[in-house]
Amino acid sequence: MRNLTMKKSRFAAIAVAASLVTMSVVAIAPAAYASSSCAAQQSGALIVEVCSGKTSDGANYEYRTNTENFNGTVYLWSHGYRYAVNLPAGVVGATPYIVDMSAEVGPAPDVIESLLAAGYAVAGSSFATQGWTVGSAVKTNVELIGILKSEIPDTKGVIAWGASMGGFITQALAERFPKLIKSAAPICTAAGNVSSELTYAGDLLWGLKTFFDPSITVSGYADGPAGVGQAAQNLGKVAAVLRHISGTLTETDISKTWPATSPMPATIKAIPARSALTLVGLMAGVPTQSQHIDGSSFPGTETGFALALAPAIAIAQNAGYAAGLGIFATLDLERRVGGAFYDNTATDYAKRIADERASFNVALSGNDATNGLLSILSSPYGKRIAASDQGLNGLKAQLAHKGKALVPTITMTGTADMITPAGNSQWLVNKNLKNTKKFLPLWVVTADKWTKFLPTGSPDTSSTAWPSGTGHCQFSYDQTMTVAKLAAAAAKTGSVPSNASVEKTVAKVDGLLFDREFSMPLLKADQK
């Protein structure tokens, strides 16, 4: 990007406006912030004004404005979960991860450029710290809204949106400060209370620990660097289990499908390990469609692959992502709340899979095998985990949603999202079944088929693309812009667009569904 000199009149406007912070902001963060530093920059075909600074809590923020064509509306973006600790190479990528404190103003460069070209401003921050910091993030956003209205005097309204944890922050902001924003769009969001999302990850890890490797840690991480190392090793153990099972799916000696670390008795090892993995995935709620597995395709003329092997392959692919976030989010939150919070002492896993065991009967190797695997979960092999009082109470005290949309709210989520499963958005849907003037649910659905096969009959897993509805927050430009445009329309009228209008709009966008009768299962912890 090419830096250009900013107009002197703009400097004067900022200097005058910098001290005008709204009362709602002062109530939360009375410390003064330094006025923004601004410069004109090239953004695609546009020259926009880019301003940056720090809020009173130290969060980096940035906003960008097309000063030649500003229409008065600012999109305020909240970014997703970022790891709160530095991680060495090989843990979550090929290079070391360094805590990211950069401001983020939108979901993707092409979306940001399109909004600017249309006359909108975009804004966002780093938040003061990383990890699960939703409470302080809401305060940062409130202060940033005050800064935006002070430094961009023509601001008429703010649209809040965000993805994943950023969706959680967006919904919380809309519930607590509805007068500060005109509409909200929490996408691929976590929702309700984060405990249900963490239970999803905890149940997955506990199942893997029970059947495949007793050294896997589910909760109770050590303090300081030792805990970070423990979490990193934990992720490696999970990956080793998933690699072994995925690599032995067609092994004729069933006992060899089980990792060497598995403590299971011979009677259980007579059941394919893929069936135990399928059970673990189902009881946690891991999607059975993934980046490379559609769940219905099969090589040749036999359906054995789709019925027997596909669920385990999809769960293995999705579980690596879900476990990774779950491990480091658990480490993070245990430190914040002061103790272990995962508790499955009263969980009925047989009830958890009651609806799925018939449809996945072949993948589970039949009723007798399913009953045998379930018996392990209530045996000494399946030692349950109890939370500490401090950890449990601390988690309950974390910021949570009531769920009702107080401002026009548009959600969008993929039906096979493996990190924030669609049950999160369904929870919000259920809270707003009669609130149709304020709430609009959109779904990014999967296609009928996308699995490809090698000449050997094995699925081709070489593609890096994310088919519609799969992956975490993997939305197309058109899908994301549709949400942005609908949120802008809702901001003008005070209610979401009519069903007929939305249906007409969505019909033009591949993979996007609007149907108020459509539903997805809630997270397992939220199911009654």
Side-chain angles (χ1 to χ4, degrees), residues 78-419:
S78 292
H79 70 69
Y81 187 89
R82 295 176 180 175
Y83 298 111
V85 294
N86 295 335
L87 299 170
V91 176
V92 293
T95 58
Y97 172 83
I98 306 301
V99 173
D100 183 0
M101 296 305 296
S102 60
E104 191 172 305
V105 299
D110 53 357
V111 172
I112 293 168
E113 288 184 11
S114 292
L115 292 175
L116 288 167
Y120 297 99
V122 296
S125 81
S126 64
F127 308 136
T129 58
Q130 301 308 331
W132 189 260
T133 57
V134 295
S136 67
V138 169
K139 295 178 181 180
T140 298
N141 277 346
V142 169
E143 183 176 350
L144 182 52
I145 289 171
I147 294 171
L148 295 169
K149 292 181 177 179
S150 296
E151 296 192 355
I152 314 176
D154 294 334
T155 298
K156 299 175 183 177
V158 174
I159 296 171
W161 65 331
S164 195
M165 184 188 76
F168 191 103
I169 293 164
T170 297
Q171 177 65 23
L173 176 67
E175 289 184 14
R176 284 157 179 76
F177 301 95
K179 293 183 179 180
L180 293 183
I181 62 175
K182 296 294 186 181
S183 64
I187 58 179
C188 52
T189 188
N193 188 312
V194 70
S195 63
S196 295
E197 178 76 16
L198 292 169
T199 296
Y200 161 67
D203 286 335
L204 168 64
L205 291 167
W206 182 80
L208 296 176
K209 173 186 180 72
T210 298
F211 284 110
F212 305 117
D213 186 348
S215 70
I216 289 175
T217 299
V218 178
S219 65
Y221 286 95
D223 293 331
V228 177
Q230 188 180 8
Q233 290 178 353
N234 215 31
L235 186 56
K237 293 173 183 178
V238 169
V241 166
L242 298 176
R243 279 197 304 268
H244 180 88
I245 297 174
S246 298
T248 58
L249 287 170
T250 58
E251 172 63 56
T252 56
D253 184 346
I254 291 175
S255 65
K256 292 182 179 179
T257 66
W258 289 83
T261 52
S262 173
M264 291 295 98
T267 52
I268 296 300
K269 287 187 176 179
I271 303 167
R274 62 168 171 80
S275 295
L277 179 61
T278 300
L279 175 69
V280 170
L282 294 176
M283 73 190 199
V286 179
T288 54
Q289 291 181 309
S290 68
Q291 185 175 21
H292 302 109
I293 301 297
D294 57 38
S296 58
S297 296
F298 53 88
T301 59
E302 297 294 329
T303 59
F305 175 86
L307 294 177
L309 302 183
I313 299 173
I315 288 169
Q317 289 190 342
N318 287 332
Y321 293 96
L325 184 64
I327 287 168
F328 288 101
T330 298
L331 170 71
D332 171 30
L333 270 161
E334 283 187 348
R335 293 180 174 184
R336 294 180 189 278
V337 304
F341 49 77
Y342 176 76
D343 193 309
N344 70 342
T345 54
T347 304
D348 185 342
Y349 290 108
K351 183 179 179 181
R352 281 275 186 91
I353 67 158
D355 293 337
E356 292 105 332
R357 63 177 295 168
S359 54
F360 289 92
N361 191 260
V362 175
L364 293 168
S365 295
N367 287 333
D368 289 343
T370 304
N371 291 335
L373 293 170
L374 285 171
S375 70
I376 290 295
L377 302 182
S378 56
S379 75
Y381 287 104
K383 185 178 179 180
R384 300 302 177 99
I385 297 175
S388 70
D389 289 341
Q390 185 172 351
L392 194 59
N393 291 334
L395 189 65
K396 289 179 180 178
Q398 291 290 300
L399 188 65
H401 299 149
K402 293 182 179 179
K404 186 174 181 180
L406 301 179
V407 301
T409 300
I410 300 166
T411 60
M412 179 173 70
T413 194
T415 54
D417 191 316
M418 71 296 206
I419 291 181

Side-chain angles (χ1 to χ4, degrees), residues 470-493:
T470 68
H472 180 50
C473 303
Q474 295 291 334
F475 303 130
S476 70
Y477 167 85
D478 288 340
Q479 290 163 353
T480 305
M481 285 302 299
T482 297
V483 171
K485 291 174 181 177
L486 291 171
K492 289 181 179 180
T493 64

